Amino acid sequence: DNIAPFADYQKALAAVINTPLYSFDMNGRHYDAGFVIHEADTGKWFSWNDDLSKQQIPALNERQLFGYLAASIKALNARIEKLEE
């Protein structure tokens, strides 16, 4: 219900740029670049389930992730448009 425009594209770009990516092996598969979930990532790209009484694995917050990626593209587009003037 509380919907407001998000326009801090530079903040989103900084968050994406500062997100560490790792190469790793998991369950017999190799991943060239991906997230490794740490406690500090909860609330950024990951969130806990509603039931905090059980051992949980953080879930990817797809809305937040997509929003930050889209806002990052907008920030880069603004920079490109400035260079093209």
Side-chain angles (χ1 to χ4, degrees), residues 2-85:
N2 184 15
I3 298 174
F6 177 82
D8 195 349
Y9 303 146
Q10 294 304 317
K11 174 185 173 184
L13 180 60
V16 170
I17 289 171
N18 292 320
T19 299
L21 299 175
Y22 301 91
S23 173
F24 58 93
D25 294 324
M26 183 174 70
N27 299 327
R29 293 182 60 197
H30 180 74
Y31 297 86
D32 288 328
F35 287 123
V36 174
I37 303 170
H38 297 283
E39 284 285 326
D41 295 323
T42 304
K44 296 177 189 171
W45 312 123
F46 299 93
S47 58
W48 296 110
N49 297 322
D50 292 334
D51 183 4
L52 297 177
S53 64
K54 299 177 182 176
Q55 180 87 12
Q56 298 181 43
I57 297 173
L60 179 62
N61 186 335
E62 294 170 351
R63 289 184 188 108
Q64 182 86 347
L65 176 61
F66 178 79
Y68 267 62
L69 291 175
S72 295
I73 291 168
K74 289 175 181 273
L76 293 173
N77 186 60
R79 291 180 182 188
I80 290 167
E81 284 180 346
K82 236 182 204 177
L83 291 172
E84 291 176 339
E85 290 178 354

